[in-house]
Amino acid sequence: MTQIVNLSTPALVVDRQKFDANVAIMTAVRPGLTLRPHIKAHKSTALAHELAKVGHTAFTCATPREIIGMAQAGLGSDLLLANETVDPVRLRAMAALQDTARITVAIDSETTATLAAECGIKDVLIDVNVGMPRCGVAPERAATLATLAVSLGLNVRGVMGYEGHLMAVADRDEQRAKVRSAMGALVECFDDVRAHSGDDCTIISAGGTGTFDLYDPSDPVLARVNEVQAGSYALMDSHYGALELPFVQALYVVGTVISVSDSWAVIDVGLKSLGMDHGNPTIEGASVWFCSDEHITFSMKDGRPLPVVGSRVLVRPAHIDPTIALHEVMYVVDQIKTDGQVIDTWPVNLRHW
């Protein structure tokens, strides 16, 4: 049986015990279809199958490639492209799969609605801007867009709004108040949209790992959000790890020490194997100096000895989504330690667009 020490590096490694614990925590709060796990976090149909086993059978996707791959893997019972696309080739490719998969596409403009209809898409969700300056129709124009969509023959299933700008608010009371305000706008939009749509308009989709537990069932506004689009929770990273969330780091990039000086060591993990948009990665007991294309230079804290050339080092990425997208496979181990046993492999088979 292969061990971590035998892997070619850099390599992505998943601690199965920690992964299962993270999934169990999320499932207890957001069971079944109340969670729509986001595939962009890991881009792996193998990992998605693990989530489907515990009842999460509706999925969020960020790219047409993810939609198509999930459908082809038999995971297409309810797929949402929570992103706008104006590429007719990709829209038609998704539409061609609708006989065997239910595919819903987010729209936020007349153009995206018209293209979806022209390319044969059946189901859409109105993407509403709830405060993050990215995609989404202005709340006051959501009902008008729904009316247009229906006139084009599209089935409007509901609304979505991503409060991504609130995911990392450290003060939970402040975060809860701001999320409630954002969701208040989304719920109001839903009521207007539903008045202009059919009976199938039932979805209010929002949220992520940083806000997964804030949709209080006793709150008349927050309780109406009926599905949450969390993804990072299953594997986690140091960015989310800095918050008071119940999930633990289950994914690491394993590197090999390739050079040691009197004061620092270097491993073969660098910019081409790590997502760096959330800052430097973390190495336990060490200070990361900087990352180069193929290297991390680091020193040890508290007088700890430097590792020797050839030894393995576990690196915690700051952002798992772009990190995983740089690799072809995740190695699943019984437990994260340098002599851990590889018990499975999860191909990262939904990369690219």
Side-chain angles (χ1 to χ4, degrees), residues 10 23 124 142 169 204 208 232 260 274 285 294 346:
V23 171
V124 296
V169 175
I204 304 178
S232 297
V260 178
L274 288 168
E294 309 291 353
W346 293 342

Side-chain angles (χ1 to χ4, degrees), residues 8-214:
S8 295
T9 56
L12 283 181
V13 178
V14 176
D15 184 313
R16 182 66 202 229
Q17 293 181 26
K18 292 180 179 178
F19 169 81
D20 287 341
N22 288 342
V23 171
I25 289 168
M26 177 62 82
T27 302
V29 178
R30 306 295 310 182
L33 297 180
T34 67
L35 181 75
R36 187 185 282 273
H38 213 312
I39 298 306
K40 71 170 184 174
H42 53 79
K43 292 183 175 288
S44 171
T45 57
L47 193 155
H49 273 294
E50 298 299 317
L51 301 180
K53 289 177 183 177
V54 297
H56 303 307
T57 56
F59 294 95
T60 310
C61 298
T63 67
R65 173 75 185 93
E66 292 172 15
I67 290 280
I68 293 166
M70 289 288 286
Q72 292 174 339
L75 292 162
S77 64
D78 193 346
L79 299 173
L80 167 64
L81 181 66
N83 196 7
E84 282 65 35
T85 181
V86 292
D87 185 333
V89 173
R90 289 166 176 158
L91 285 166
R92 292 190 188 103
M94 291 187 290
L97 297 170
Q98 290 175 122
D99 288 341
T100 57
R102 185 163 198 185
I103 296 169
T104 303
V105 173
I107 59 172
D108 70 353
S109 66
E110 179 180 344
T111 300
T112 50
T114 301
L115 280 170
E118 290 177 348
C119 293
I121 295 295
K122 298 174 183 177
D123 294 322
V124 296
L125 212 63
I126 306 298
D127 186 2
V128 180
N129 182 352
V130 294
M132 183 177 183
R134 201 165 68 182
C135 299
V137 65
E140 64 271 17
R141 297 202 294 270
T144 300
L145 181 58
T147 299
L148 170 66
V150 171
S151 74
L152 294 170
L154 295 167
N155 177 44
V156 178
R157 296 187 67 193
V159 300
M160 65 161 276
Y162 180 51
E163 71 280 25
H165 57 301
L166 303 178
M167 289 296 143
V169 175
D171 185 285
R172 292 289 273 175
D173 290 335
E174 177 188 359
Q175 185 185 41
R176 184 177 293 103
K178 289 182 175 180
V179 168
R180 191 182 193 281
S181 177
M183 293 304 100
L186 186 63
V187 165
E188 186 175 342
C189 281
F190 171 78
D191 291 335
D192 290 341
V193 164
R194 188 172 189 183
H196 294 79
S197 306
D199 293 338
D200 198 33
C201 184
T202 59
I203 294 174
I204 304 178
S205 188
T209 295
T211 61
F212 83 100
D213 58 343
L214 297 184

Side-chain angles (χ1 to χ4, degrees), residues 230-244:
S232 297
Y233 73 93
L235 298 173
M236 288 296 282
D237 50 38
S238 62
H239 180 69
Y240 269 128
L243 305 176
E244 293 183 5

